[in-house]
Amino acid sequence: MRVGVVGAGAMGSGIASVAAQAGFGVKLYDRVPGAARAALIGLASDLARQVKKGRFTAAEALKIQSGLEAVESLEELADSDLVIEAIAENLGAKVDLFRALDDIVGPDAILATNTSSLSIDAIAAPTRCPGRVVGMHFFNPPVAMRLVEVVSGAMVNPAVADRIFALAADWGKSPVRCASTPGFIVNRVARPFYGEALKLLEMRACSPEVIDTVVKQGGGFRMGPVELMDFIGHDVNFAVTQSVFDAFFHDPRYRPSLVQKALVDAGRLGRKSGAGFYVYQDGQPTSALPAPAWPAPGTVRLGCDATSGLAGRFRTSDLEPVVHDGTGGVRIGDVLIVETDGRTALQCELETGEPVVVVDLVMDEETATARSAAVSPGVSDAARDAVGAAFAGLGQTLHFMDDVPGLVLGRTLAMIANEAADALQQGVASAADIDAAMVKGANYPVGPLAWSDKLGSGRLVSILDALALAAPDGRYRPSPLLRRAALTGASLAPA
């Protein structure tokens, strides 16, 4: 198969390198004169570095380079069996390109777009042969990232999608299938990862450092949402959010944030500009979250029926909890400890008549080292510190924040799982492909449908209901599929 790539930027040149490394002949074109040739020089330098690291032999690198050719006109792609477009994310420009390619390549050639969120149907419809137009969405950097979303529009020939799926696998990638809906899988399901962090910052409920620390150390994510937005660039992240928001006809679930827009307007785009939510020096943020100093821990009392989750973690710790045969639950001193189900600490105190500390969910009690928490009005400073000290005995640092529903990780995990459940119900992709896409394309520690089962869909729906009550604009409406799982105990995780 002869491969053509249009667009010699980071994505296009990366895709060309992936194809060449798989042994395919590749022609690279860019409308800017000399850009394709410059990209190949850059790829040659990268290959030389890979040879020094031992990833390739000199002979292998030479063979890869010999498979790459820079061309200066679209017409030179006429003999391609597959052309992959990787130009700017602009629908008009892509439509114009595909119309031109329609007249250049042979009738059996496949035309693939690397669009991250635009409609495949909108790109394909103006061509004479829309059945051969398919989405082949790589992730940045294409050489390193395993995921490829194979996106089928309503008019695509199923055999074309099958060929691209098989080809991506031959190129050493992990392809998933999805329908052409706004954001496909990853850019849709990931919106709440950023959106809930921005909501917390809008409310000034906690600092960026607390959000990132809790999401990483409590949730097992490689990067927190705030630092990830700074890394991506707020101009890019905001534009994708705006695109998805527009494509969903301004559904409040995808509404962009005024906090992020203010950063874009101010030119605080993140690492590339030296400042975003964080200020950077030598590529590293200058701020850090100080570790709190706690006094001696308070006495931990466990209900006699408290054997799993947080209570189980206390029971098996080096602390010396006292088994309490009265009411169930966990108490530290005179404070009731409640894992978030969406209720605020104030609500819990009004319901129980006891001072309450609500603590965040964590993905895994055994490995989590941080979680957020909120106190009810009846909790004294000394009692709060005793609670913090007891959790420190578990190896978990509590970061106290404003008393908002779902805290940090609870609301984030609930919203991502909710989005994944909606995508599943709407036929965007299978459960297996949704979870695989989020693990391989977004580096999530586990797929959102799997964590819905792990954490309990009932608890996640309860958090969403509480958020919807606090902000009744439709943003937090639970997916019917997630609610059904909560009511029936059905699993959403891939079989």
Side-chain angles (χ1 to χ4, degrees), residues 50 55 75 97 152 176 192 196 211 272 289 348 483 492:
Q50 297 301 324
R55 182 177 176 187
E75 286 72 21
L97 173 62
S152 295
V176 295
E196 291 312 299
I211 294 170
K272 62 187 177 184
L289 192 62
C348 292
R483 189 180 292 281
L492 295 180

Side-chain angles (χ1 to χ4, degrees), residues 148-172:
V148 172
E149 290 178 323
V150 179
V151 190
S152 295
M155 296 175 284
V156 72
N157 182 334
V160 168
D162 289 345
R163 286 183 67 191
I164 293 302
F165 187 93
L167 183 68
D170 287 344
W171 289 1

Side-chain angles (χ1 to χ4, degrees), residues 206-215 278 289 371-372 399-401 408:
C206 58
S207 68
E209 291 87 350
V210 166
I211 294 170
D212 283 341
T213 299
V214 168
V215 168
Y278 299 119
L289 192 62
R371 64 206 305 164
S372 61
H399 296 282
F400 289 97
M401 58 179 290
V408 173

Side-chain angles (χ1 to χ4, degrees), residues 40-251:
L40 294 195
I41 292 172
L43 289 178
S45 297
D46 183 65
L47 283 169
R49 287 191 294 270
Q50 297 301 324
V51 169
K52 288 183 179 179
K53 293 178 181 179
R55 182 177 176 187
F56 298 117
T57 66
E60 288 171 336
L62 185 61
K63 184 177 179 181
I64 293 168
Q65 283 182 254
S66 67
L68 290 162
E69 178 185 356
V71 298
E72 294 299 325
S73 70
L74 269 182
E75 286 72 21
E76 292 178 81
L77 303 181
D79 62 346
S80 299
D81 301 300
L82 166 67
V83 178
I84 304 172
E85 165 272 312
I87 65 171
E89 194 74 346
N90 178 283
L91 179 60
K94 291 181 190 291
V95 167
D96 289 344
L97 173 62
F98 274 71
R99 279 176 170 158
L101 289 170
D102 217 12
D103 293 329
I104 292 170
V105 300
D108 295 325
I110 296 174
L111 302 179
T113 171
N114 185 55
T115 179
S116 60
S117 61
L118 295 175
S119 166
I120 305 301
D121 292 317
I123 295 170
T127 68
R128 292 196 310 274
C129 302
R132 65 174 174 176
V133 178
V134 65
M136 194 178 188
H137 179 214
F138 290 79
F139 287 75
N140 196 22
V143 172
M145 296 296 286
R146 294 170 57 197
L147 184 69
V148 172
E149 290 178 323
V150 179
V151 190
S152 295
M155 296 175 284
V156 72
N157 182 334
V160 168
D162 289 345
R163 286 183 67 191
I164 293 302
F165 187 93
L167 183 68
D170 287 344
W171 289 1
K173 299 302 178 183
S174 298
V176 295
R177 299 177 189 269
C178 60
S180 180
T181 56
F184 311 143
I185 300 173
V186 174
N187 275 328
R188 172 181 176 171
V189 177
R191 292 342 296 162
F193 187 69
Y194 314 112
E196 291 312 299
L198 292 166
K199 272 292 179 186
L200 290 168
L201 294 174
E202 283 179 5
M203 294 187 291
R204 302 178 67 138
C206 58
S207 68
E209 291 87 350
V210 166
I211 294 170
D212 283 341
T213 299
V214 168
V215 168
K216 289 188 293 185
Q217 297 181 19
F221 290 81
R222 294 187 188 180
M223 294 183 74
V226 181
E227 64 178 326
L228 182 54
M229 286 185 282
D230 268 9
F231 178 79
I232 293 169
H234 290 285
D235 52 342
V236 174
N237 189 261
F238 182 81
V240 173
T241 301
Q242 184 69 58
S243 173
V244 173
F245 181 58
D246 290 342
F248 275 105
F249 305 116
H250 293 185
D251 186 326

